[in-house]
Every structure is written in C-alpha cells, then in structure tokens.
Amino acid sequence: MTHALVESLSQRLAQWPQGRFVVAFSGGLDSTVLLHALTKTPHKARLKAIHVHHGLQDVADDWLTHCEQFSRSLDVAFEACRVLVPSESGLSLEARARDARYRALSDSLQSGDVLLTAHHAEDQAETLLLNLMRGSGVEGLSAMPELKALSPSRSTWHGRPLLNQSKADLQSYARQFQLQWVEDHSNRDEQFDRNYLRHRVMPLLQQRWPKAAESMSASVRHLQSVRQRELDYWQQMARLHTRERGKVLPLSALEGMVKADRLSLIRAWLAGSEPAPRYKILQAIDALCYSELGERQEGAGTVAWGKDQRQGVSRFQKALYWRRALDQTLGSNGDWEWQTQDELMLPSLQRPLSQEWCEEQGIAIKPNQTLRVCFRASASAQDRIIQPRKGVSQTQKAYFQEQKVPPWLRDGCPYLYDGAQLIGILIDWERL
C-alpha cells in the first residue's frame, strides 16, 4: 500500500515543471524523509540530491559523507557544493549561511530544474510569526509559496512539496522506514529567532491550540491568494505604463500615488530582475523621485543591487530606466565600412546595422550606399547631424536630448557618415 506522504508527493510533482527534481539535502530529518519518499514516486529517475557544505561546524565533513552514502544507497545522483560564508556585517550568521546556500543551489541548477526543499507546515507557521514580528506587509505574511520561479531567464523553479505535512507526519514516516539522519545542534540554539519560536513559542501555542500550525498555514494560503491578485493588478499597471519593452517607467505613472502604491508598481516593473530588489532597494529607487514628504524631486542618480551591483535603476529626465548590466562596455575605437544593402554587426551592439533600423529612426539612406560607421569615441564632437529627410542641422547634444537618450547609452550609439557628413546617429535601445 502506498504511503500517504508518497501519494501526496506524486500528485503534486505531476503538476509541476517536468525537468529534474533537485533535492536540497542537508542530511537532517526533513530532507531525509523528502529524498527517501521521492524515490518511491514515479519521478525517481529525475532525482538528484545536492548537499551544501558550509564548513561552519567540525562535523561538516561527516555530514557530507553521510549524505553521499545515503543518496548512493537510494541510487540517486549526488553532488556536493562547498561554500564560503561571507563575514560582512549587517546580516546574522544564519542569514549569511542561508544566502550562500541558496546561491550555490541556484548556480547548480540546469534549465528546467526544480529545486525541492523540505519545508513543512511548522516551518510555514514560524515564517509567518517571524514576519509578523518584523511588521511585514501582505508580501511577508504570505510567507513561503509552494512553487515559485527561481530564475525566469533560466527557467528554474523552487518547490516546497511538504508544506501541507506536519513535523509529526515526517517523524512518523522516518520511524516507519527506520531512516537515519544527522542532528544539527545549532538548531537548538535559541539565540536564533527561528529556533526560539520553534522551541519556546510554538509548543505553547500548540498546547493551547493543537492545530495551530495547520491554522496558520491556512491563513497563509488566504494571504497568498490576496497577494497574487495584488501582483496581477500591479503587473497589469506596469505593462500599461512602461515603454521600450518594459525597460522605461515614466515618472508620470507614479504621479498622485501614495508611497506604498509607488513601491508596488516599481516592484511589479522589476519583477523579472534576478535577484529581485529587496524592500530597502525599492525605497531607494522611490527616493530618486520623491522626498520623504512625497514631494516630486528633480535630479538624477542610480540605485544598484545584485551580484557585484551589476543591476540598477537610473533616473534620467522624467523617467526611470531599468539597467540590467551597469558595467557593460559600450562602443569602441575604430571605423567600419557599411554597404547598406547588407547587414553589419558591430562590437557591443545588440542588433546589426540595417536599412530597417535606419528607417525605424527616420534616418534616410540609399540602397547600395557606402557609409562610414564609428562610435562616439572615434567621432568629432564638433560634427553636426544633417539629415536630408528633415532638412535640419543639429548638434549631437541636442539630438540626444531630443531623442531622450540617457547619457550611459550615448557612447554605444553608431554614428553614420556619408563622406565627411554625419547623417545620423542610431539609438541602440536594446542596451537599456
């Protein structure tokens, strides 16, 4: 007879993306039960176990050995990742270790993979209580989703298939199958907030209300439903107001909104960012445009986040620009010859030079024409743009301002010369 936990896992995973299922395997009770139960489902052939070695405890090597041996005994592919937990201030050791662990797990995934973690109903209740104590809003109180996109660009996912199971369910399963696991004694250290809740607060709540964890999990599901409707609304608003394929958010879209709504729209606009900006980053982006009193501010600036601070939002004129590679190199020295009947790919451009691109931007060129092409580094700052179709002459600065080209894009715009005459500058909006 199939165990109820195995049956539940089989049904859930059948509805999830059908890549590999990669189990974050610490060797503790919860992940041991998850890995063992998964081998009894139809999905066993797609399983892989990954153990993250933090090196924070003397027994870390023993845990790795145990995890590898247990995985091999189940005929499950195994991988170990060693990480160095950074020592920067501002985050607790627990938070720094978690961030390092998830970075390593995410980096180990292939396109289509689903990372599985063994969070259960009590973990969900603890997360809700922690976020209540932090004064979180609907997003924080929605706690942990059962399935979410981990990296949209790589099509990887994070699933928690045990959220509907209690700790007692997992303990019962482990006893039935006589499983062995490792004990992390740091999980009993009550200086960590989660451990304090687990060992002091939750037992009191469950003594009074035996189904406290299940009730809190039900509340989380209601909040997740509210949160999803809110996300859908703000994503629709972001699609409505942004331009240049979602890379530019005009400040007019934020006009008249209270701060909470401005932050919701900015968050929805940046929904595809990897990693997503945290709340403090969203506040900093809002501060590029509005004072603490909600008054519109003038000026410019950039807010960066993510690995090596490569992602960012910059303000230019009356819009916010989402920049996905702050350190990208734009333009280069040198000249190129372009036969306009053909396409020409230049260094650092996202698209080839073509008659179609010129027509899109109102630059008149002739078929079978030979043009000289360069970037700003090789052009003369004194050259004026003379466009035959418009019959006007402009300075480069005036042209860039008229076209609302941000300063960081200008070095990467191709200059088109017909002999000695500058006839146009193409704007590479793909580089936003």
Side-chain angles (χ1 to χ4, degrees), residues 144-318:
M144 298 182 289
E146 191 171 69
L147 180 68
K148 71 171 185 178
L150 193 60
S151 171
S153 65
R154 296 172 55 209
S155 298
T156 56
W157 302 80
H158 181 189
R160 300 177 176 93
L162 298 180
L163 284 180
N164 65 330
Q165 305 290 332
S166 68
K167 183 74 170 183
D169 293 334
L170 306 190
Q171 291 169 333
S172 173
Y173 184 98
R175 286 194 299 270
Q176 178 176 338
F177 290 95
Q178 299 181 328
L179 302 181
Q180 301 295 315
W181 60 88
V182 301
E183 294 284 358
D184 183 352
H185 296 293
S186 69
N187 287 334
R188 305 205 66 82
D189 187 347
E190 293 181 6
Q191 71 171 321
F192 298 123
D193 291 341
R194 186 175 288 274
N195 290 344
Y196 183 84
L197 284 173
R198 182 173 299 162
H199 300 300
R200 293 290 189 93
V201 178
M202 285 299 295
L204 284 174
L205 290 174
Q206 290 172 318
Q207 182 179 341
R208 176 75 177 188
W209 298 283
K211 294 187 178 296
E214 290 89 336
S215 297
M216 282 188 272
S217 291
S219 293
V220 165
R221 288 192 291 273
H222 292 312
L223 286 165
Q224 287 174 344
S225 178
V226 171
R227 174 61 179 157
Q228 188 57 54
R229 290 197 295 272
E230 182 183 83
L231 284 174
D232 291 344
Y233 170 77
W234 287 113
Q235 286 171 357
Q236 181 180 3
M237 291 290 286
R239 288 192 294 270
L240 179 66
H241 289 290
T242 55
R243 54 185 173 83
E244 302 301 339
R245 292 178 291 281
K247 298 174 184 177
V248 181
L249 178 65
L251 296 188
S252 59
L254 303 169
E255 204 67 51
M257 290 185 178
V258 298
K259 183 175 181 178
D261 287 348
R262 294 199 304 268
L263 295 181
S264 293
L265 180 55
I266 293 170
R267 181 189 287 111
W269 172 45
L270 301 174
S273 173
E274 299 174 19
R278 297 186 176 185
Y279 185 71
K280 287 184 178 179
I281 296 297
L282 296 175
Q283 287 184 307
I285 295 171
D286 182 68
L288 288 175
C289 314
Y290 292 90
S291 69
E292 286 295 322
L293 298 177
E295 297 171 341
R296 178 83 163 267
Q297 298 188 132
E298 298 304 322
T302 296
V303 176
W305 71 91
K307 188 176 181 181
D308 301 324
Q309 301 288 284
R310 293 189 69 243
Q311 289 211 64
V313 166
S314 295
R315 176 177 174 176
F316 173 65
Q317 293 184 350
K318 297 181 179 180

